[in-house]
Amino acid sequence: MATVLDGIIGGVREDLAVRRAITSTAALQARLTEVPPALDPMPGIRHADGVAVIAEVKRSSPSKGALAAIPAPGDLARAYADGGAAAISVLTEQRRFGGSLADLDTVRTAVAVPLLRKDFIIDGYQVTEARAHGADLVLLIVAALGDAQLRDLYDQATGLGMTCLVEVHDAAELDRALALEPRLVGVNARNLKTLEVDPRRVTDLLPRVPAHVVAVAESGVTGPADVAAYVEAGAGAVLVGEALVKHGDPAEAIRSFTAAAAAVTRTTSGAARA
């Protein structure tokens, strides 16, 4: 039986074929010479106070439908940067998330913080495409890729100077991700086959992520308390979309997340010294 993930990837393949017919790989590669080198997100993520927030430009989702119109993605991105976001994630999948590469271009022009192209990457063309449009990071979803394909895409992205956020949903996927020796591993509370969200998926897996790898908690964040719970379980970063795009003051929301995380960090440090 086909899953939600299968359906999304089917649409991604169709849309990819259209873009490839319009813009050749050679044309994309030529564009690479015109973009500045990729930014390294790790210093900002590792040195964030309490937790690094990766703030997402996200119009809709398969589970919730329309979230926010976001007529000016650049303005939203600037608000995220003002709030202290360590990186900004831009959805570029069109059918289910209402995103586009044009959004990525707009956000790239608006802010100087590292940008993640958030999409269902299944082909090397998309990796080249991401860098050509100014992305500094790409998402690789372990559940959507075989081991050889995962390795090839990872090597291609890092060869272009980008950082990979390697996303997992269970222990077996985490083992596959760690074989890549990544710097960032995302643990998603959302089951991509059913779209069910269970924060325990994150809190159970976070302790298994090695200390030298930054663990990014994804999905299930509705407010500061959720961020604090993830940080207490071992998250070094959180990726948040819906709670920010629906908030009246996204910059203040980010500050509230980092404050809650910093409080957990101080409490943990104090207990360790005691």
Side-chain angles (χ1 to χ4, degrees), residues 97-220:
F97 294 89
S100 69
L101 287 165
D103 285 345
L104 185 59
D105 292 336
T106 299
V107 172
R108 176 73 291 162
T109 321
V111 296
V113 300
L115 299 187
L116 165 68
R117 181 190 182 178
K118 182 87 175 290
D119 209 320
F120 296 79
I121 305 292
I122 54 173
D123 190 283
Y125 181 93
Q126 294 167 285
V127 175
T128 305
E129 194 176 47
R131 181 80 280 270
H133 285 267
D136 308 293
L137 305 93
V138 290
L139 178 73
L140 298 179
I141 302 173
V142 173
L145 302 165
D147 286 342
Q149 191 179 23
L150 182 62
R151 168 56 71 180
D152 287 347
L153 293 171
Y154 184 89
D155 288 346
Q156 180 188 356
T158 55
L160 289 172
M162 290 190 287
T163 300
C164 295
L165 173 58
V166 186
E167 180 178 293
V168 305
H169 304 81
D170 58 35
E173 290 179 7
L174 177 58
D175 289 341
R176 293 176 58 206
L178 293 177
L180 299 170
E181 299 183 353
R183 298 195 289 171
L184 283 175
V185 167
V187 182
N188 199 336
R190 188 179 303 281
N191 183 328
L192 291 183
K193 297 180 179 180
T194 65
L195 299 184
E196 176 189 7
V197 174
D198 182 359
R200 290 173 301 179
R201 187 189 310 275
V202 176
T203 53
D204 287 349
L205 276 182
L206 285 177
R208 299 190 51 168
V209 179
H212 67 276
V213 178
V214 176
V216 183
E218 305 176 27
S219 301

Side-chain angles (χ1 to χ4, degrees), residues 3-99:
T3 66
V4 174
L5 179 60
D6 293 332
I8 293 173
I9 289 178
V12 166
R13 291 188 188 282
E14 292 176 9
D15 294 341
L16 172 58
V18 172
R19 295 198 308 278
R20 199 195 298 264
I22 296 170
T23 306
S24 68
T25 300
L28 278 182
Q29 290 172 336
R31 182 170 172 172
L32 293 178
T33 63
E34 302 171 5
V35 296
L39 300 172
D40 184 356
M42 299 309 296
I45 289 175
R46 289 189 182 279
H47 296 107
D49 184 18
V51 72
V53 176
I54 303 175
E56 194 154 79
V57 177
K58 181 179 184 180
R59 289 191 175 87
S60 62
S61 75
S63 59
K64 298 289 185 69
L67 300 173
I70 312 181
D75 290 346
L76 178 60
R78 279 187 285 267
Y80 287 163
D82 289 345
I88 295 174
S89 169
V90 183
L91 259 302
T92 59
E93 197 280 334
Q94 180 177 359
R95 299 189 182 202
R96 305 292 185 97
F97 294 89

